[in-house]
Amino acid sequence: TVTNAGTTSVSLGNPALTGPFTETDNCNATLNGGSSCTVTVKFAPTALGAATGALTIAGTTTDPASVDLSGTGVPQLTLTPVSLTFANQKVGTTSAGQAVTLQNQGTTTITLGTISVSGDFTQTNNCGASLSTGGPGSHCAVTVKFAPTATGTRNGTLTVNDNAFANPHTAPLTGTGTP
């Protein structure tokens, strides 16, 4: 809230932002004495981790007035667990499945695209075309099985294509093929 505690009008500059933030306001170019206006700031992270910025408004008694801003970008879509390791498996056979849960941690619906695995792994899933926010529609499961085609360490990747931040989302897969 920007308040003019004085009795005379003050000319305000447009609110200016630095960092991954957006703003809307109901401030006019002139703020009459005894009145106020509101600046609403939203955090719009472009990367994971801590971010900082500032909101600056020229024309105030502390010309310009500045407010420090900070936030932490977190994944909107999480995969749990973040990797799968399978026990030794005989070549030519298929292991029991292990599940990876996809969870929408954000505030908007996530559109899901292709879900795939590489290497000696197969997947099935109960995921629809999207993950809603909160409630039962906010998560789904991908079941991965290991079917080694050769002996030794076998690696692959679970890949989830979506419209969430940091797309695509991946989880490493590993297992050992035995004779």
Side-chain angles (χ1 to χ4, degrees), residues 129-143:
S130 64
L131 291 176
S132 62
T133 58
S138 67
H139 62 278
C140 65
V142 177
T143 301

Side-chain angles (χ1 to χ4, degrees), residues 42-161:
K42 291 183 179 179
F43 180 46
T46 57
L48 297 176
T52 60
L55 166 68
T56 305
I57 302 174
T60 62
T61 55
T62 56
D63 191 37
S66 184
V67 176
D68 292 331
L69 306 171
S70 65
T72 302
V74 297
Q76 182 180 6
L77 178 67
T78 58
L79 278 60
T80 306
V82 296
S83 66
L84 294 178
T85 300
F86 289 83
N88 291 350
Q89 187 71 34
K90 290 181 182 178
V91 172
T93 65
T94 302
S95 73
Q98 292 187 39
V100 174
T101 300
L102 281 59
Q103 176 79 42
N104 182 346
Q105 303 287 340
T107 58
T108 60
T109 298
I110 296 172
T111 301
L112 296 176
T114 307
I115 299 173
S116 61
V117 290
S118 64
D120 292 354
F121 300 89
T122 61
Q123 69 86 20
T124 57
N125 67 76
N126 66 355
C127 301
S130 64
L131 291 176
S132 62
T133 58
S138 67
H139 62 278
C140 65
V142 177
T143 301
V144 179
K145 294 181 179 180
F146 176 45
T149 57
T151 59
T153 301
R154 311 298 290 166
N155 295 308
T157 304
L158 166 64
T159 302
V160 179
N161 290 291

